[in-house]
Amino acid sequence: MTEPTPTPSALLERTGTLAILRPSQHVRGLVPTAPPPEGALDLFLFLDDAGAVMAFNGHVDLGTGIRTALAQIVAEELDLPLAAVTMVLGHTGGTPNQGATIASDSIQVSAIPLRRAAAQARHHLVALAAAALGVPADELIVSDGVVHPRASGSNAGISYATLLAGRQDRLMLEDSVTLKPAGDYRIVGQRVPRVDIPAKATGAFVYVHDVRVPGMLHGRVVRPPYAGVDAGDFIGHSLIKVDEASVAHIPGLVAVVTMGDFIGVVAEREEQAAEAARCLKVEWKAPPPLPELKDLAQALRANPSTTRVLADQGDADAARAAAAIPMDRTYVWPYQMHGSIGPSCAVADVRDGQATIWSGTQNPFPLRLDISILLGIEEADIEILRFEAAGCYGRNCADDVAADAALLSRAVGRPVRVQLTREQEHAWEPKGAAQLMEVKGGLNADGTPAAYDFATSYPSNAATTLALLLTGRVPANNPVFEMGDRTAIPPYAYDNLRVKAHDMAPIVRAAWLRGVSALPNSFAHESYIDELAAAAGVDPVEYRLRYLHDPRAVDLVKEVAARASWEHHTAPRQEVVDGDVVRGQGFAYALYVHSKFPGYGAAWSAWVADVEVNKRTGDVAVKRVVVGQDSGLMINPAGIEHQIHGNVIQATSRALKEEVSFSETAVADKEWGAYPILTFPEVPVINVVLMPRPDDPPLGSGESASVPSAAAIANAIFDATGVRLREPPFTPERVRAALGNPLPPEPPAPPAKKRPWFALAGAALAGALGMAAVALPIRGAIAPITRPDPASFSADMIARGRQLAALGDCAVCHTVPGGTVNAGGRALETPYGTVYSTNLTPDPETGIGRWSYAAFERAMREGISRDGRHLYPAFPYTSFTRTSDTDLQALYAFLMSQAPVVAPTPEAKMAFPFNIRPLMAGWNTLFLRPGQMQADPARSPQWNRGAYLVESLGHCGACHTPRNLLGAEKTGAAYLAGGMVDGWEAPALTALSKAPIPWTEAELFSYLRTGFSRFHGTAAGPMAPVVEELAALPDADIRAMATYLASFSGPVPADPVAQAAALQAEATASLRPLDSLGGRLYEGACAACHAESGPTLFGVRPALALNTNVHAARPDNLIRVILDGIPKPAARDLGDMPGFRDSFDDGQVAALVRYLRAKFAPNAPAWSGVDEAVALARANPGSH
Amino acid sequence: MSLPEHAAPVSFEVNGVAHSLDLPRETRLIYVLRNDLQLNGPKFGCGLGECGACTVLVDGVAARACVLTLKSVEGRKVTTLEGLGTLDLPHPVQAAFITAQAAQCGYCLNGMIMTAAAFLSRHPAPTLDEAREALRYNLCRCGTHVEILRAVMLAAQAMGAGSTAAGAATTLEGADHD
Ligand code: FES
Ligand code: FES
């Protein structure tokens, strides 16, 4: 099912049709669009002789069911079945320009002409029937689109379709049309299932994300570092350079497009575009600092503003001065996100001065204007095809991405689909603005309010479409919008009232979010009246009713209080539920007033929230919300009820959990861990109270129910605890602080660690090595041979050699990622510089094709190349030297029988003095102990077999044994005691292991065989390919390796299963998902796959409480797994772990790492140097 | 890495149809399903395994296709929302979501339905709290949670789990309208 896109001109050419038209209107909204051409007509309604009925509306369905509600209205007036009506919404080429879809206006404003059009069409069709049937019109009735005489028993009817045969009726929409009386409604007011849900539930629905057009390419954008900031001279002027060579290797890349600060990449396939965007090296100027946004009240006070007085009656100053109890209060609202579940997406086809844009925009006509400015083409040459997208609640990045796609399409001359990343949507969506509400007032001695002097500061803006700013087409000059005034006038009759709006420029990119400024303003109004009631010793509902004079409001307040079993109280009750948990009930009411001041009301809404607060932990649970709404005539009560549920849940989420955090220069929250939203277990029970008002006009119900939310919850927390919270979100930290009960803060980061050992190595080297080197001759070359015929080796020998190559991990180092196996060229970073692995294929010039067995054996046993040059001990010949002759011969046979590949090896880039290869001779004298491995007769054959595999080709010690200052493996007790490789820690395999449950033979076998041990975790980093290679070895060999390695372990645990369960239970009980940044990140980003109680998902579920990396002496491995995930798991049963390099900043990674350590390794000391280790790991991604 | 990355096409089954695709094994499954197989059910929500919008079933187990690589599904059976049921023949979980009108924008719906289907196949008669826990790591921003939970309990009932589920569903309705 795709959105229908009939063009009006094509429809109007047809005969057998009826159309209702209206002259196109010039919409001057917040963003005025171009005037329509002279004489242009908008099509509102279209019927044809085949029974089609199409209704057109310029607004869009944001997932709120507008499509269904409008169809109900049309079907009602036309006396048609609901299913007969098709709604066409929000296409610039086909629907009327009715401005932006904002403020839940669609039902209140845009439905009116549609309803009239339908009624007018019905009158016209009935008149036609009257003529055809020879019956007066007032004796005809219509049922299901068939007109027939009222007289009972008569079956002489004629359908709309039949009536239209051969006609081409074009009617102009009349201003006054007789509408159907509400009492006759059969469809409007019914609980009607939404028309879109079956397709959405089966994957048949086409969202904008699902649009595919022929020849389409895929694009991604790369955004500047000033994430979420859209005003200032630096916007559009911060790019220093783009290194296109950094993505040259990516297959399928079509273009890198740069204009000002706009950067995009286009590729044939989506993952190629994503990879190019990830890899593209871009240099930016450092963005300027943001104001300190941790103290929002101060930041808003300091932001320059102009003041509008919205109301001034009585004498607020004098009354405030005379108050018996002065009560000045400050309420603060945080920046919040729209947080659409799907990051925005669009497809654009820009060619030959014409543009077609498939978009999820909320505002098709304003977007068309933006695209016109951006591309410099006429609005008339641009068509916006509107498709549904993920729910938006105001303004997300839908317009931004449409403009991005337009730029990229124009650059490559083909259609381009651009999908924003989660990180980009989070960082760049225009935020719901922060807001400051300050009240000066107080209570008179008789308990009446003395004065209400209210000032609101709201830094919102138009959130100009990003590409216009990034390319410099439009200056980033912070237009100030007058939008802080929504519901700024309190609903209560205060005798001495003054209301001021401080209009101000945005601080960060912001736009309207559900409830706009009305939600924060009502938070202040409704908290304040609660404070007055408490100070006066009066029940909060009773106190409100004294000053609330709007009769519909009064009805609603009383009804909701009654339905919630409101418990009359004159002071906070602090009722204990159990132990530290107390319970409370809170009330709030609001009429959402929107549009330009003074605006008009949408639906009336009232809340009773029941909360439970844990006074020790600060946890707040909203247990139940009774929410009432008066939205006049309800077109589709089921739809309204669902909307109310949605508003309650989203608003509860905002009140309890949500607050955007900022780095010094940008938005910091880039995924759902840093910016959490309400989850299923946290959802309250919701009881909806709908006020029946069938005779009053329908009112928008898109957002009204969210407006009383935060105040009702704050008032309930006050009832439960006696403590007043004036700044959401009501997180445990805030609640504890308000209760004077802060838990000890997380331990501070200890001082930086000492210099790494390898930094000292260079100093010691020149002397020691140089001395040894002079004692040894430079070795000679071994004569080249002609490549031996592979047929001279037995198949069996080659097969054995192949296994041995896997054991030796030859291909791991001797293959570049994605390249030909064993052709070499992989860069290996060592503390002494970069070496490149050599070509192990039998190519005569660049590989080992001319190597005799003797030359091969010398390389394996002594680290000397055929030509006599010394190899660096990054090649683990000190282990390989122990291989048996027969195994070396088999390995040689295998290597020589591979297909030769021409691949020269790049020169090593070693630091002095390591760049002098002959010095390696000295190194060998000191550290090489050549010769085959000898069995230990005191041990079992299995142990000896394992020892041989581990110590020779397996070369486990190369990583797992610490090295001395000269980079040689230490010996004795240090053997297998843990080392570092490529930035990863290879943990100790001996009793020095930090694993909470010691390794056993069984777990070693499981780990080496499958890549996973339930008691230790998953093979990651350099170990993942090792396990993958070991798949070539038989179980018996893996078992032998496990036997040998287990002989180094500590004592075998008595009951590891019980021990593991206890460790996990202890950790799980200590988790605090909302309490700290680390806690939030774990819950949002890690827990789905790692929490013990998480959903069953494909792959393994590594228990962090048992994980070796969490218990390690250093945080490096944990940091690296968080940054880069496990890109190539060792086996296909494990599942995959994503990396968070582009999702978390360094501070977030460090916070997460500290949290994981504290919670999952509670008995281990806190790590020192976490911040430095994170920075180091980010700067040196390594090759794993 | 015993074989070159591109050596052999990756074979797996999607909604009962065998596919063999010549793509790198580290390609994320979601791109292959959506772009190569044109299956719109799985949605891109975060790419990080956080939100569940991309959920598919792999051998009957819920899996997050934005994170899963082709390598992980090699030789396995993948089911998407389209494969679960169709407009004409919806799976009981899909039918329950339609009955309960459990969508606003519906972008999260794929994840909710696939996760619920996998969950109910293992726990045919969950309590309401178990259903909440099962969906804990599936995010919905529209606030459709109430209808979604109702749908899951309805589905449990329809799938013939007997009295426990029916009782639990009644509890939700009762709680919601008391
Ligand atoms: S898109 Fe896969 S979990 Fe969010
Ligand atoms: S219905 Fe919109 S995100 Fe769930």
Side-chain angles (χ1 to χ4, degrees):
Chain A
M1 177 174 138
T2 51
E3 296 262 322
T5 58
T7 65
S9 51
L11 293 174
L12 292 174
E13 276 169 17
R14 288 168 41 193
T15 47
T17 60
L18 163 64
I20 312 284
L21 301 148
R22 186 177 76 175
S24 300
Q25 295 177 342
H26 185 196
V27 174
R28 299 162 207 274
L30 290 169
V31 187
T33 49
E38 201 50 43
L41 296 171
D42 283 340
L43 177 59
F44 274 78
L45 192 65
F46 177 86
L47 292 88
D48 71 12
D49 53 6
V53 180
M54 283 183 239
F56 297 78
N57 190 280
H59 284 186
V60 302
D61 196 323
L62 303 169
T64 57
I66 280 298
R67 180 184 299 280
T68 306
L70 292 175
Q72 278 179 275
I73 290 172
V74 171
E76 185 69 72
E77 289 295 339
L78 274 165
D79 283 318
L80 282 168
L82 181 61
V85 178
T86 302
M87 286 303 307
V88 182
L89 300 177
H91 291 292
T92 55
T95 64
N97 183 353
Q98 295 173 309
T101 310
I102 49 171
S104 307
D105 252 1
S106 300
I107 285 297
Q108 240 164 310
V109 176
S110 67
I112 292 169
L114 203 52
R115 185 177 179 198
R116 288 210 314 270
Q120 188 177 348
R122 182 186 185 279
H123 293 310
H124 179 74
L125 289 160
V126 169
L128 291 179
L133 297 171
V135 179
D138 57 4
E139 285 175 25
L140 292 173
I141 56 167
V142 184
S143 60
D144 287 355
V146 179
V147 192
H148 47 87
R150 193 185 305 274
S152 59
S154 165
N155 55 6
I158 182 162
S159 72
Y160 288 167
T162 311
L163 286 167
L164 289 175
R167 305 187 68 91
Q168 203 175 29
D169 294 349
R170 303 289 173 261
L171 306 182
M172 297 305 287
L173 181 63
E174 287 168 13
D175 284 337
S176 70
V177 182
T178 311
L179 302 171
K180 192 187 238 188
D184 293 352
Y185 283 167
R186 310 161 295 113
I187 298 175
V188 165
Q190 296 305 305
R191 300 176 67 93
V192 168
R194 276 181 29 191
V195 293
D196 52 339
I197 292 181
K200 285 178 173 174
T202 51
F205 194 86
V206 177
Y207 292 85
V208 68
H209 301 73
D210 308 321
V211 169
R212 295 180 196 92
V213 304
M216 183 176 88
L217 297 168
H218 291 271
R220 286 285 192 278
V221 291
V222 177
R223 296 285 196 224
Y226 43 88
V229 182
D230 68 346
D233 292 345
F234 58 99
I235 307 282
H237 302 102
S238 292
L239 179 62
I240 298 172
K241 81 169 194 270
V242 174
D243 174 11
E244 294 200 22
S246 61
V247 291
H249 65 285
I250 291 173
L253 185 71
V254 173
V256 177
V257 179
T258 305
M259 287 176 72
D261 285 357
F262 173 86
I263 302 174
V265 294
V266 183
E268 296 287 344
R269 294 181 57 86
E270 186 170 6
E271 65 272 17
Q272 293 166 340
E275 180 69 358
R278 200 177 67 78
C279 293
L280 188 69
K281 285 211 176 80
V282 184
E283 221 179 296
W284 300 96
K285 291 179 200 155
L290 286 170
E292 176 53 75
L293 291 172
K294 288 212 169 66
D295 184 351
L296 277 172
Q298 187 44 40
L300 293 173
R301 275 189 204 109
N303 199 29
S305 65
T306 54
T307 301
R308 277 182 299 145
V309 176
L310 303 175
D312 198 355
Q313 64 205 40
D315 187 340
D317 292 329
R320 154 74 179 69
I325 308 174
M327 292 168 60
D328 293 353
R329 298 288 184 262
T330 298
Y331 304 91
V332 181
W333 195 266
Y335 279 102
Q336 295 185 323
M337 291 194 195
H338 298 78
S340 292
I341 283 296
S344 298
C345 179
V347 180
D349 188 359
V350 181
R351 269 183 283 196
D352 312 323
Q354 308 263 327
T356 307
I357 316 265
W358 292 261
S359 169
T361 179
Q362 192 160 342
N363 315 305
F365 290 90
L367 173 62
R368 186 172 64 171
L369 174 65
D370 283 350
I371 300 288
S372 152
I373 298 168
L374 183 69
L375 302 180
I377 61 180
E378 296 295 320
E379 276 187 78
D381 292 326
I382 300 165
E383 186 177 12
I384 310 283
L385 298 170
R386 205 278 162 173
F387 281 69
E388 278 190 44
C392 165
Y393 335 105
R395 180 94 194 269
N396 62 8
C397 292
D399 292 6
D400 298 329
V401 77
D404 296 339
L407 287 176
L408 294 184
S409 171
R410 183 176 66 177
V412 299
R414 282 172 65 181
V416 177
R417 173 183 185 272
V418 179
Q419 166 73 67
L420 296 184
T421 63
R422 166 52 48 205
E423 291 82 357
Q424 288 166 342
E425 184 76 34
H426 258 59
W428 285 95
E429 66 143 274
K431 305 295 177 291
Q435 199 166 335
L436 171 68
M437 288 74 54
E438 294 176 292
V439 181
K440 289 197 181 64
L443 207 61
N444 295 320
D446 61 359
T448 57
Y452 195 71
D453 186 358
F454 179 82
T456 185
S457 303
Y458 178 73
S460 182
N461 73 338
T464 306
T465 296
L466 209 51
L468 290 172
L469 302 179
L470 296 181
T471 58
R473 291 288 295 171
V474 166
N477 60 2
N478 265 340
V480 176
F481 274 24
E482 294 181 352
M483 287 188 78
D485 51 26
R486 310 303 194 247
T487 317
I489 308 289
Y492 303 106
Y494 295 118
D495 293 337
N496 299 294
L497 172 74
R498 181 162 53 207
V499 176
K500 290 182 292 202
H502 299 307
D503 298 315
M504 52 177 59
I507 298 171
V508 299
R509 189 168 199 245
W512 46 89
L513 166 60
R514 185 175 263 177
V516 200
S517 54
L519 174 45
N521 283 336
S522 291
F523 170 59
H525 298 326
E526 290 297 310
S527 294
Y528 195 81
I529 194 146
D530 228 66
E531 298 202 42
L532 289 174
V538 179
D539 173 77
V541 171
E542 186 188 327
Y543 197 80
R544 279 176 173 80
L545 287 170
R546 290 182 190 173
Y547 305 101
L548 192 61
H549 301 320
D550 170 352
R552 284 174 77 169
V554 170
D555 285 357
L556 178 70
V557 166
K558 287 182 175 164
E559 181 67 18
V560 169
R563 295 283 285 275
S565 311
W566 176 258
E567 295 162 41
H568 190 275
H569 59 274
T570 55
R573 292 170 294 169
Q574 312 191 42
E575 185 191 331
V576 176
V577 180
D578 188 19
D580 295 315
V581 178
V582 286
R583 153 164 70 208
Q585 215 175 35
F587 194 93
Y589 153 81
L591 170 61
Y592 176 41
V593 175
H594 59 85
S595 292
K596 191 167 173 53
F597 190 81
Y600 48 91
W604 286 257
S605 177
W607 278 48
V608 172
D610 290 9
V611 305
E612 286 182 5
V613 181
N614 184 315
K615 299 210 318 186
R616 186 178 53 82
T617 63
D619 291 336
V620 178
V622 177
K623 305 299 285 183
R624 183 188 70 158
V625 173
V626 178
V627 54
Q629 184 159 305
D630 175 353
S631 26
L633 165 70
M634 292 177 277
I635 312 282
N636 183 0
I640 290 177
E641 192 178 293
H642 290 180
Q643 272 301 105
I644 292 174
H645 285 159
N647 272 284
V648 168
I649 290 166
Q650 193 183 74
T652 301
S653 179
R654 291 172 69 183
L656 293 185
K657 300 178 89 167
E658 299 184 27
E659 174 181 32
V660 177
S661 48
F662 299 90
S663 72
E664 278 161 30
T665 53
V667 172
D669 304 339
K670 295 197 286 288
E671 46 66 61
W672 297 114
Y675 191 86
I677 59 174
L678 210 69
T679 61
F680 275 94
E682 298 166 315
V683 168
V685 168
I686 304 169
N687 300 164
V688 175
V689 179
L690 295 176
M691 302 295 278
R693 299 268 184 204
D695 298 321
D696 290 296
L699 296 167
S701 51
E703 48 200 320
S704 299
S706 69
V707 179
S709 55
I713 294 169
N715 295 340
I717 294 172
F718 176 73
D719 184 36
T721 63
V723 166
R724 174 65 56 185
L725 295 177
R726 300 189 183 88
E727 181 171 356
F730 311 131
T731 58
E733 289 154 298
R734 287 235 169 100
V735 173
R736 280 199 313 270
L739 286 164
N741 179 28
L743 291 183
E746 282 190 57
K753 63 178 179 207
K754 60 181 199 294
R755 284 172 77 198
W757 62 270
F758 52 74
L760 305 170
L765 185 99
L769 268 195
M771 294 287 289
V774 287
L776 271 175
I778 306 293
R779 304 289 293 272
I782 294 181
I785 59 162
T786 318
R787 178 188 169 196
D789 180 358
S792 63
F793 307 114
S794 75
D796 189 51
M797 191 178 190
I798 293 172
R800 217 152 33 82
R802 185 190 303 278
Q803 260 187 24
L804 292 163
L807 172 66
D809 295 322
C810 305
V812 173
C813 289
H814 288 269
T815 309
V816 289
T820 312
V821 170
N822 284 339
R826 179 165 188 149
L828 304 168
E829 311 287 344
T830 76
Y832 317 108
T834 304
V835 268
Y836 293 89
S837 58
T838 52
N839 181 350
L840 294 188
T841 70
D843 178 61
E845 303 309 323
T846 63
I848 57 169
R850 291 179 190 274
W851 288 42
S852 61
Y853 176 72
F856 175 72
E857 184 182 14
R858 186 174 74 170
M860 291 292 283
R861 295 203 192 281
E862 297 177 52
I864 294 162
S865 179
R866 188 196 60 76
D867 62 9
R869 293 201 301 166
H870 282 272
L871 299 165
Y872 289 106
F875 170 58
Y877 57 87
T878 53
S879 299
F880 292 168
T881 190
R882 327 186 107 201
T883 312
S884 70
D885 284 335
T886 42
D887 280 354
L888 271 190
Q889 284 153 10
L891 184 57
Y892 179 75
F894 163 67
L895 292 174
M896 283 305 182
S897 60
Q898 300 174 102
V901 176
V902 182
T905 305
E907 265 306 310
K909 297 183 196 115
M910 301 297 271
F912 179 83
F914 300 96
N915 55 353
I916 305 171
R917 280 183 185 256
L919 285 182
M920 293 320 300
W923 193 95
N924 279 359
T925 310
L926 290 172
F927 304 117
L928 176 65
R929 301 281 168 271
Q932 296 181 41
M933 179 107 181
Q934 302 303 320
D936 179 349
R939 299 285 196 159
S940 70
Q942 173 151 306
W943 185 94
N944 272 303
R945 173 71 181 158
Y948 171 71
L949 294 167
V950 164
E951 293 200 22
S952 66
L953 279 174
H955 70 283
C956 303
C959 294
H960 288 274
T961 299
R963 292 178 184 257
N964 64 20
L965 286 182
L966 296 177
E969 289 174 37
K970 293 184 183 172
T971 51
Y975 179 61
L976 296 182
M980 290 296 291
V981 55
D982 204 16
W984 292 78
E985 182 188 11
L989 302 179
T990 63
L992 293 174
S993 163
K994 301 280 182 197
I997 297 180
W999 283 95
T1000 59
E1001 183 189 319
E1003 289 308 312
L1004 281 161
F1005 176 77
S1006 162
Y1007 184 83
L1008 294 173
R1009 184 81 287 179
T1010 68
F1012 180 68
S1013 154
R1014 63 195 162 143
F1015 298 144
H1016 302 87
T1018 315
M1023 194 60 198
V1026 170
V1027 173
E1028 190 177 22
E1029 290 287 296
L1030 289 179
L1033 268 67
D1035 281 359
D1037 278 353
I1038 303 292
R1039 182 76 63 195
M1041 291 172 80
T1043 303
Y1044 174 66
L1045 290 171
S1047 68
F1048 291 85
S1049 284
V1052 173
D1055 186 353
V1057 174
Q1059 199 187 339
L1063 285 167
Q1064 285 209 71
E1066 184 193 351
T1068 304
S1070 75
L1071 295 177
R1072 299 284 304 148
L1074 284 176
D1075 235 342
S1076 61
L1077 176 58
R1080 288 190 287 274
L1081 294 171
Y1082 168 75
E1083 180 65 15
C1086 315
C1089 298
H1090 288 282
E1092 206 186 351
S1093 62
T1096 304
L1097 291 173
F1098 175 81
V1100 294
R1101 176 168 289 273
L1104 296 182
L1106 312 176
N1107 193 280
T1108 307
N1109 292 336
V1110 180
H1111 290 266
R1114 42 197 304 156
D1116 302 56
N1117 288 11
L1118 186 57
I1119 292 168
R1120 286 186 180 274
V1121 171
I1122 291 170
L1123 284 177
D1124 295 316
I1126 305 182
K1128 286 187 189 162
R1132 64 164 204 151
D1133 291 338
L1134 298 174
D1136 297 83
M1137 154 127 188
F1140 293 83
R1141 174 176 291 271
D1142 301 319
S1143 317
F1144 296 158
D1145 63 27
D1146 284 4
Q1148 289 171 333
V1149 176
L1152 176 58
V1153 163
R1154 289 199 183 96
Y1155 179 82
L1156 295 177
R1157 177 73 162 185
K1159 296 298 179 184
F1160 292 101
N1163 301 321
W1167 278 313
S1168 60
V1170 171
D1171 296 288
E1172 294 81 352
V1174 172
L1176 193 72
R1178 189 184 288 279
N1180 303 285
S1183 50
H1184 292 94
Chain B
M1 240 178 283
S2 319
L3 288 168
E5 300 292 317
H6 296 71
V10 190
S11 298
F12 59 111
E13 201 180 295
V14 180
N15 300 336
V17 179
H19 292 276
S20 185
L21 297 173
D22 200 359
L23 290 168
R25 277 169 171 68
E26 60 267 23
T27 311
R28 304 277 157 188
L29 180 61
I30 189 168
Y31 297 128
V32 177
L33 295 176
R34 292 185 49 85
N35 298 336
D36 294 291
L37 308 184
Q38 312 232 328
L39 293 166
N40 293 337
K43 290 283 179 276
F44 180 80
C46 65
L48 299 167
E50 294 183 353
C51 73
C54 60
T55 305
V56 298
L57 305 183
V58 175
D59 289 346
V61 179
R64 300 196 160 183
C66 69
V67 175
L68 220 57
T69 53
L70 274 191
K71 170 175 168 167
S72 291
V73 298
E74 187 158 16
R76 301 187 196 273
K77 290 185 168 60
V78 177
T79 308
T80 70
L81 189 62
E82 292 90 339
L84 201 62
T86 61
L87 270 173
D88 299 328
L89 249 170
H91 181 275
V93 174
Q94 289 170 314
F97 272 69
I98 295 168
T99 306
Q101 291 284 290
Q104 288 186 48
C105 77
Y107 199 86
C108 67
L109 217 58
N110 169 74
M112 300 296 174
I113 292 174
M114 299 309 284
T115 307
F119 168 66
L120 291 176
S121 72
R122 287 186 317 276
H123 300 278
T127 64
L128 184 57
D129 281 345
E130 286 167 346
R132 284 176 184 253
E133 273 304 319
L135 292 173
R136 178 185 192 129
Y137 299 104
N138 281 75
L139 301 181
C140 171
R141 184 54 163 169
C142 295
T144 315
H145 304 67
V146 170
E147 287 77 13
I148 291 170
L149 286 172
R150 199 176 284 163
V152 174
M153 301 315 282
L154 263 177
Q157 213 173 329
M159 288 163 81
S163 56
T164 320
T170 318
T171 311
L172 175 70
E173 297 295 325
D176 201 50
H177 287 297
D178 71 4

